[in-house]
Amino acid sequence: EVTSNPASKKFKSDKDVYGKADEYPIVCMTYRLTEMYHYWTKHIDRLNQLQPGFFVEIPEELAREKGISNGGRARVTSARGSIEGVAMVTKRLRPMQINGKPVWQIGFPLHWGYEATADHTGPLANFLTPSAMDPNTWTPEFKTVLVKLEKA
């Protein structure tokens, strides 16, 4: 059974730790929002009004299982670190079927960080992700990570 690309470049620093599915059973993906442009739009108040804060998108059934309500707080933890945000409970995400078993997925936008205009900072997505590089382009793979989820 192959669990990752055997040709990918993995680094060996203390920040580059990988969780195992038995301890971190949920797949977390990062994504961009239409209202934001990478990291720099958080410095523009008009765009911050359209998307004022960091959130964690959680499927309805998983949120129910974890006791997390829409608008409540959620903590996402990987082998590397932990971040918290407002829970956005949604019907949009569904579990994946992997080897005949359901595997939950959650997601959050990658636009926030420690430096921004007043009241628009938030956790940096890469606090959770290790550094793995595509073997051909050396593009960092900061898109998905195994995590656990809990009510904060």
Side-chain angles (χ1 to χ4, degrees), residues 26-100:
I26 298 169
V27 174
C28 181
M29 61 190 155
T30 63
Y31 48 81
R32 298 181 189 275
L33 300 172
T34 306
E35 299 85 358
M36 304 293 273
Y37 179 75
H38 203 46
Y39 295 102
W40 69 267
T41 52
K42 66 185 176 188
H43 300 283
I44 300 169
D45 283 331
R46 287 184 189 156
L47 292 173
N48 283 323
Q49 290 172 17
L50 294 173
Q51 196 55 254
F54 177 80
F55 59 86
V56 179
E57 186 174 3
I58 306 167
E60 285 180 323
E61 190 176 329
L62 179 60
R64 235 182 339 270
E65 178 184 309
K66 299 290 184 179
I68 300 170
S69 60
N70 189 47
R73 305 268 313 157
R75 181 178 300 111
V76 181
T77 303
S78 74
R80 182 172 176 198
S82 184
I83 62 175
E84 291 185 18
V86 173
M88 183 179 79
V89 178
T90 179
K91 293 179 183 193
R92 194 172 81 104
L93 299 177
R94 303 206 188 297
M96 300 177 284
Q97 292 293 319
I98 299 176
N99 292 331

Side-chain angles (χ1 to χ4, degrees), residues 135-151:
N136 296 317
T137 64
W138 279 77
T139 302
E141 206 285 16
F142 294 134
K143 313 274 186 298
T144 59
V145 63
L146 292 177
V147 300
K148 57 185 170 184
L149 174 71
E150 61 191 329
K151 183 177 179 178

Side-chain angles (χ1 to χ4, degrees), residues 42-43 112-116 120-124 127:
K42 66 185 176 188
H43 300 283
W112 280 270
Y114 54 87
E115 191 177 309
H120 294 293
T121 60
L124 187 61
F127 285 162

